[in-house]
């Protein structure tokens, strides 16, 4: 009889737990996402000239990225242009190695 109570209690606990997680998890995930967004916004303020507990605009010293020191002049600046690739040759010369074989009967 105690085994029957154990099985009944286990099944009941499983369904109560499942139902409560469906109610609680969306709320918990929303709060976690809000906390992570807030932390990301604070770290972005630290790196882009906001109040920094280290006293500098950059926590690693006076070094500033070159892209931050430029003034916007409404023009596009290209730092890197990849080299143009040569057109691929199609044909037997680039197809690889051909091997002769004989059929065995």
């Amino acid at each position: 009889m105690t085994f029957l109570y154990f099985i009944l209690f286990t099944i009941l606990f499983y369904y109560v737990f499942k139902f409560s997680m469906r109610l609680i998890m969306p709320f918990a995930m929303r709060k976690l996402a809000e906390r992570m967004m807030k932390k990301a916004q604070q770290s972005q303020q630290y790196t882009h000239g906001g109040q920094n507990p280290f006293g500098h605009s950059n926590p690693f010293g006076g070094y500033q990225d070159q892209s931050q020191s430029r003034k916007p002049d409404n023009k596009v600046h290209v730092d890197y242009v990849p080299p143009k690739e040569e057109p691929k040759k199609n044909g037997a010369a680039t197809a690889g190695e051909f091997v002769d074989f004989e059929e065995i009967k």
Side-chain angles (χ1 to χ4, degrees), residues 8 11 29 32 51-52 77 105:
L8 182 66
I11 292 171
M29 294 300 287
L32 178 69
Q51 289 290 340
N52 191 349
H77 298 281
K105 292 184 181 184

Side-chain angles (χ1 to χ4, degrees), residues 26-45:
F27 176 74
M29 294 300 287
R30 187 180 313 118
K31 287 296 182 183
L32 178 69
E34 288 174 0
R35 190 179 326 150
M36 289 174 63
M37 286 174 38
K38 185 177 179 182
K39 186 181 278 189
Q41 286 174 351
Q42 286 177 350
S43 68
Q44 186 178 16
Q45 285 177 351

Side-chain angles (χ1 to χ4, degrees), residues 59-99:
F60 299 110
Y63 175 75
Q64 286 188 349
D65 192 15
Q66 292 177 356
S67 63
Q68 291 178 356
S69 63
R70 288 186 193 165
K71 292 182 181 180
D73 55 354
N74 297 331
K75 293 183 181 177
V76 177
H77 298 281
V78 179
D79 294 332
Y80 174 74
V81 178
K84 293 190 177 192
E85 296 180 11
E86 296 178 11
K88 294 182 179 180
K89 298 178 183 176
N90 294 333
T94 60
E97 191 173 321
F98 291 100
V99 179

